[in-house]
Amino acid sequence: MFGTDPSDEPVSTWTDLARDQGMTDLARVTLIRELDSIVMDQSRLRRPGAPRTLATSPLSGLARDFEELGDLPQALRAQRLYAALQETAWDRASARHTLARLEREAGRLPQALDSLAAVRDALATPGGRVLSSGSAPAAGGHAPGWSRLSIGAR
């Protein structure tokens, strides 16, 4: 349930409420401020118990929220940063795949092709933690069957 102080609530609580009430501009401005704050101080993404690792999920959440509001430029901005901060090959591939979809929807086809090429490269990276068609990393870090996914096929 809700706390006693409204400022203790996550930003998403207020932006979801504003969006649901048709105040999309208010929600959008709030989300832009949140994204700007993260861009200016990425240390906000550090995990409390493990300061050398980042919790990047707020960025993917912002990208989804912007997309739901129809603000593709801001969704792309959040998704680009999210993709850039991914540490494993599989996470990079997944984030770039979403980025390619957003770029395609925004009509940025050359950028979408570049993102798909980055997906293919991430999946082919030796030593990266890449998942094969199953749920465990393949031997050597490769995903030998990844090309069956039709990602970046030529």
Side-chain angles (χ1 to χ4, degrees):
M1 204 64 188
F2 296 106
T4 56
D5 185 358
S7 65
D8 289 341
E9 295 300 320
V11 171
S12 62
T13 299
W14 303 113
T15 57
D16 289 349
L17 183 61
R19 186 186 67 231
D20 291 347
Q21 293 180 357
M23 296 185 267
T24 55
D25 285 340
L26 178 61
R28 191 175 153 278
V29 167
T30 303
L31 291 171
I32 289 171
R33 285 184 182 143
E34 182 69 11
L35 179 56
D36 286 347
S37 177
I38 292 172
V39 168
M40 297 301 291
D41 183 11
Q42 291 178 22
S43 69
R44 292 183 57 209
L45 297 174
R46 293 192 192 283
R47 293 183 191 271
R52 291 183 172 240
T53 61
L54 298 176
T56 56
S57 60
L59 288 168
S60 64
L62 284 169
R64 277 191 306 276
D65 288 344
F66 281 123
E67 184 180 9
E68 288 173 6
L69 290 173
D71 191 340
L72 283 179
Q74 293 297 331
L76 282 165
R77 188 172 158 234
Q79 187 65 30
R80 263 190 223 102
L81 181 56
Y82 176 73
L85 296 176
Q86 296 311 297
E87 296 178 1
T88 67
W90 182 256
D91 291 342
R92 283 190 302 277
S94 178
R96 292 289 181 150
H97 186 261
T98 300
L99 181 61
R101 179 183 56 78
L102 290 171
E103 289 167 335
R104 184 181 50 81
E105 289 175 8
R108 299 176 179 182
L109 299 182
Q111 292 88 346
L113 286 172
D114 291 343
S115 292
L116 286 175
V119 169
R120 185 183 61 237
D121 293 345
L123 290 172
T125 301
R129 183 178 174 269
V130 180
L131 300 182
S132 61
S133 57
S135 61
H142 299 310
W146 73 267
S147 58
R148 288 178 283 174
L149 299 174
S150 298
I151 297 175
R154 291 185 180 185

